[in-house]
Amino acid sequence: MKSIKYIKKSFLLATALTSSSAMANNFPYTFFETRIGTSPGTYGVQVNQQFTENSHLIAKVDTKFSGDWDVSGGIGFNGPVNEFADIYGQLLLHNVKNKSSDKFGDEMLTEVNFGFRVWLMQQIEVGAQYGQLFNSNVHKDIGGLHFRFHSTEQLSVGTEAKFGGVYGGQMILTARFTF
């Protein structure tokens, strides 16, 4: 009986915190992004394609150009919380190769994450993300904080502080092109 009350209260709270289904997302989820990371120096690209109002596909590649890579892809959800904020989450599968390997990827990892994005001002977005990167031998907490300036509707530039992940903690500069 208590579990039914808990479910009802959770549903009412979630309904109160989220907007109506008629409200559109506050941020674009169809984009091409290039990025450069520091310590270690990495280069990466990402493509997101929204295929329903509240879901998107993700494909990413990051490398140090020293015979290594982190290739990942998967599916994500997204939706508005109110008129200034969105929540999102992703389920990704990673193929990771380090420079000592001659194989196609040394290990496969699964990533589950969630985050939020908020309009701080008209053209300034801030957000955070937290998740887990794991397989049977690896279990890492991952996350990050980001700041993005939207100069136009098609172009935004940003910086991100990441912790955990395949390449460890990094500062990353990004350029994102919305299409």
Side-chain angles (χ1 to χ4, degrees):
M1 193 63 152
K2 282 189 171 189
S3 64
I4 293 173
K5 287 182 181 180
Y6 176 75
I7 292 170
K8 284 181 182 179
K9 287 179 182 178
S10 298
F11 177 75
L12 290 173
L13 180 62
T15 304
L17 291 175
T18 59
S19 61
S20 69
S21 61
M23 178 183 255
N25 295 312
N26 297 300
F27 298 91
Y29 290 91
T30 299
F31 59 83
F32 173 77
E33 178 179 272
T34 60
R35 56 181 168 261
I36 298 174
T38 61
S39 296
T42 58
Y43 304 91
V45 295
Q46 177 175 340
V47 177
N48 272 35
Q49 177 63 54
Q50 191 166 354
F51 66 94
T52 70
E53 185 176 334
N54 298 107
S55 56
H56 55 277
L57 298 173
I58 305 123
K60 303 192 276 188
V61 178
D62 289 285
T63 183
K64 294 187 285 186
F65 286 120
S66 60
D68 68 304
W69 67 62
D70 173 15
V71 176
S72 61
I75 190 166
F77 73 87
N78 49 273
V81 174
N82 60 34
E83 62 185 298
F84 301 110
D86 279 6
I87 59 170
Y88 64 92
Q90 300 170 336
L91 176 60
L92 303 170
L93 184 61
H94 291 254
N95 179 265
V96 180
K97 179 180 183 291
N98 75 28
K99 63 184 174 186
S100 65
S101 171
D102 291 331
K103 304 183 268 183
F104 179 77
D106 296 318
E107 62 184 337
M108 298 296 286
L109 298 169
T110 303
E111 178 181 342
V112 177
N113 66 59
F114 63 93
F116 68 91
R117 301 163 72 178
V118 177
W119 286 112
L120 191 59
M121 294 170 44
Q122 185 175 4
Q123 294 176 291
I124 298 180
E125 164 194 343
V126 295
Q129 182 182 39
Y130 173 78
Q132 302 272 317
L133 188 63
F134 58 91
N135 66 13
S136 59
N137 301 323
V138 176
H139 186 98
K140 292 182 182 180
D141 288 332
I142 58 171
L145 301 171
H146 75 265
F147 170 89
R148 186 167 289 117
F149 174 70
H150 295 260
S151 59
T152 67
E153 287 187 22
Q154 287 79 33
L155 175 65
S156 65
V157 293
T159 185
E160 184 173 359
K162 282 191 167 190
F163 66 86
V166 173
Y167 292 107
Q170 289 184 291
M171 289 299 295
I172 297 176
L173 299 174
T174 66
R176 184 173 284 184
F177 307 93
T178 304
F179 55 93

